[in-house]
Amino acid sequence: MAVVQIKGKSQLSGEVLISGSKNSVLPIMAASVLCQGVTILEHCPDISDVHDMIKILESLGAKVSFEAGTLKIDTTERTEHEVHEKDAKKIRASILFLGPLLAKDKKVKIGYPGGCNIGKRPIDIHVDGLMHINAGFMMGKDYLVCETFALVGDRVKLRYPSVGATQNIMMAATLANGKTVIENAAREPEIVYLARHLRSMGADISGEGTSQITIAGVEELHPCRTVIPYDRVVAATYLILAHVTKSEISISPISDTGDISDVISLIQNAGGNIKQNGTILNYHPTSKNFPIQIETGPFPKVPTDIQSMSMVMGITATGESSIRESVFENRFTFVDEMRKMGADIQVDGDVAIVKGPQELYGASVCVPDLRAGAALCIAALVAEGVTQIANWELIERGYENFVQNLRHLGADIEYC
Ligand code: UD1
């Protein structure tokens, strides 16, 4: 278990380069098995989730190189269609190989996915959707086996706009016979970026970013080069950090502020001042710090991935904040860790009430999941004294150079 120590209340300021998006690059990496040849992904984040996906691609027979942010995936000699259980359970995004391998090879054997422990995280919507386009399933104890004689396009109505299920069905449908229409599709920016990438590969897709996505199957796809967009959750992390520590912090490159407009509004409504200068966003501290009322939900609602960090906004604000978690049923586990630092948070079902302002103090805490880890880190930077954060490796699943970036901003942070 990696442990990082943070001495809080340092003066922070400076600029941070925001890495490529984890949640965009992972499905795009999985999409590389839809074709033969060399896919090139630029601005790829150097995080452990990407390395776990590389291991899966290599076990499938792809040749992969990753240098200076450029990932090259050569699937010319890929023949395997089994994602081993030990690799699959390391990461939730392993399930994103299901649709593409099925479409390309007509058969896939895949271990059940792992990932952050933030709820039950079933895969029924993925399975139901693929069954609608003519896939057959056998569910074993450790493996899921999925086969098709030929995928056939159809109308697929999702019972919930699952991001991963929308991506899996989209990818499978690119090579199906006929037209697939996904209703109640997820609308997250990561769906839009995946659709653009698939179109660059030759796919016929429209409607991404709306609740109805149409995919007309094509005979074949070809590799392409894609620049991965900035990570909107990482960008939100640094903006929230700037707000709660009252620090002058700039982030770039923010190519499209539309992807984080909800977070910008959240911070501005709480009294923060964010100014845009081209692709740079500057946070300027103010004396205001109002409480927040949020409910997480599918895009364009506030993303569940920033829920834990928004809790620190509530802790530092003057008044009572209310945070409702509507996406994952088990995403308040970090609250006990924050209480160890002096936070006053009451949880009732899916709602957390945060009383602020509270003076936080250093404590020994343990990271329960990736985003909660970032929230504990932000809390530690606000707190008086020293905080030791164990299980730090979970944070490195999604944040590139986090320790170095925070040190560059002036944080007193070191590995123990
Ligand atoms: C993705 C993101 C994750 C984000 C989440 C919600 C990636 C790699 N991860 O995860 O960071 O928090 O979207 O925005 O992009 N569900 C089912 N059955 C299913 C699938 C999902 O019940 O078959 C439920 C989940 O348990 C959860 C909700 O639907 O309660 C949302 O899950 P989903 O949108 O699928 O999230 P992921 O794609 O796993």
Side-chain angles (χ1 to χ4, degrees):
M1 232 195 234
V3 180
V4 159
Q5 180 166 294
I6 295 175
K7 188 157 176 261
K9 291 229 182 286
S10 298
Q11 186 68 44
L12 305 182
S13 70
E15 292 172 21
V16 183
L17 284 179
I18 303 300
S19 61
S21 160
K22 168 177 99 66
N23 288 353
S24 278
V25 79
L26 301 179
I28 287 175
M29 288 174 77
S32 65
V33 303
L34 282 164
C35 66
Q36 285 187 306
V38 185
T39 296
I40 300 178
L41 307 178
E42 292 170 15
H43 197 224
C44 178
D46 194 352
I47 52 178
S48 64
D49 268 17
V50 164
H51 289 279
D52 286 339
M53 289 292 271
I54 290 175
K55 270 190 212 120
I56 295 178
L57 282 163
E58 286 173 339
S59 76
L60 292 170
K63 292 198 169 58
V64 186
S65 72
F66 187 18
E67 244 183 73
T70 299
L71 183 66
K72 291 187 183 157
I73 305 168
D74 183 353
T75 54
T76 312
E77 286 168 22
R78 181 192 71 76
T79 49
E80 285 298 320
H81 42 250
E82 174 171 340
V83 178
H84 302 293
E85 188 222 350
K86 68 173 180 8
D87 296 330
K89 72 179 179 204
K90 276 197 184 156
I91 173 172
R92 171 77 181 174
S94 57
I95 194 64
L96 297 174
F97 282 102
L98 177 61
L101 284 173
L102 177 69
K104 186 76 173 128
D105 296 357
K106 309 273 187 286
K107 180 171 180 169
V108 46
K109 182 177 176 190
I110 187 165
Y112 292 102
C116 275
N117 184 17
I118 52 179
K120 287 200 285 288
R121 306 193 87 174
I123 52 168
D124 59 303
I125 306 174
H126 301 243
V127 171
D128 284 356
L130 293 171
M131 281 170 78
H132 264 87
I133 58 170
N134 211 29
F137 282 88
M138 271 181 357
M139 311 273 230
K141 185 167 107 16
D142 299 320
Y143 281 93
L144 182 68
V145 178
C146 179
E147 287 185 12
T148 185
F149 179 64
L151 291 177
V152 181
D154 200 346
R155 289 189 99 75
V156 180
K157 181 156 187 182
L158 308 188
R159 72 165 171 81
Y160 181 91
S162 153
V163 176
T166 303
Q167 292 168 334
N168 247 332
I169 300 161
M170 264 167 77
M171 290 191 278
T174 55
L175 292 177
N177 294 332
K179 191 165 85 175
T180 301
V181 179
I182 308 175
E183 292 174 1
N184 198 26
R187 296 157 57 193
E188 270 67 4
E190 292 74 26
I191 301 289
V192 173
Y193 294 118
L194 175 62
R196 284 185 194 161
H197 175 77
L198 292 170
R199 253 195 313 268
S200 300
M201 293 176 75
D204 183 346
I205 301 183
S206 57
E208 72 276 9
T210 75
S211 305
Q212 183 167 306
I213 302 175
T214 304
I215 307 114
V218 296
E219 281 288 308
E220 204 176 38
L221 297 173
H222 52 78
C224 68
R225 177 187 287 263
T226 286
V227 180
I228 303 301
Y230 77 92
D231 193 307
R232 64 189 174 111
V233 183
V234 173
T237 303
Y238 286 105
L239 288 177
I240 292 173
L241 171 67
H243 179 66
V244 298
T245 57
K246 296 194 179 301
S247 306
E248 191 95 30
I249 291 176
S250 304
I251 59 170
S252 69
I254 307 301
S255 43
D256 181 353
T257 50
D259 293 352
I260 50 166
S261 55
D262 46 0
V263 176
I264 292 175
S265 304
L266 174 71
I267 294 173
Q268 282 173 335
N269 291 338
N273 179 2
I274 298 171
K275 288 247 162 27
Q276 185 177 0
N277 179 7
T279 58
I280 303 174
L281 285 186
N282 301 303
Y283 179 89
H284 302 283
T286 71
S287 55
K288 300 177 198 143
N289 200 346
F290 304 122
I292 56 170
Q293 266 70 44
I294 62 168
E295 175 174 351
T296 67
F299 193 82
K301 283 195 176 169
V302 175
T304 171
D305 286 350
I306 69 141
Q307 176 260 107
S308 45
M309 300 170 226
S310 69
M311 205 76 85
V312 192
M313 292 177 68
I315 293 170
T316 57
T318 305
E320 192 173 281
S321 294
S322 140
I323 295 164
R324 182 182 292 272
E325 170 58 53
S326 303
V327 181
F328 290 105
E329 67 276 15
N330 198 18
R331 221 170 184 179
F332 284 144
T333 47
F334 67 97
V335 164
D336 283 342
E337 301 302 295
M338 288 220 173
R339 286 195 190 116
K340 288 183 192 164
M341 301 174 75
D344 183 346
I345 306 171
Q346 299 304 319
V347 174
D348 183 8
D350 59 358
V351 178
I353 301 292
V354 190
K355 292 217 174 83
Q358 286 289 325
E359 287 297 326
L360 296 182
Y361 41 82
S364 287
V365 295
C366 187
V367 173
D369 67 78
L370 163 63
R371 303 303 173 189
L376 289 169
C377 183
I378 295 173
L381 289 161
V382 172
E384 185 73 54
V386 175
T387 299
Q388 290 201 326
I389 305 181
N391 223 7
W392 184 266
E393 56 273 24
L394 280 187
I395 298 180
E396 292 175 347
R397 284 192 38 220
Y399 289 86
E400 183 181 89
N401 295 332
F402 203 35
V403 168
Q404 292 90 324
N405 283 348
L406 292 173
R407 209 176 274 148
H408 168 75
L409 291 175
D412 185 341
I413 177 168
E414 59 186 36
Y415 287 97
C416 293

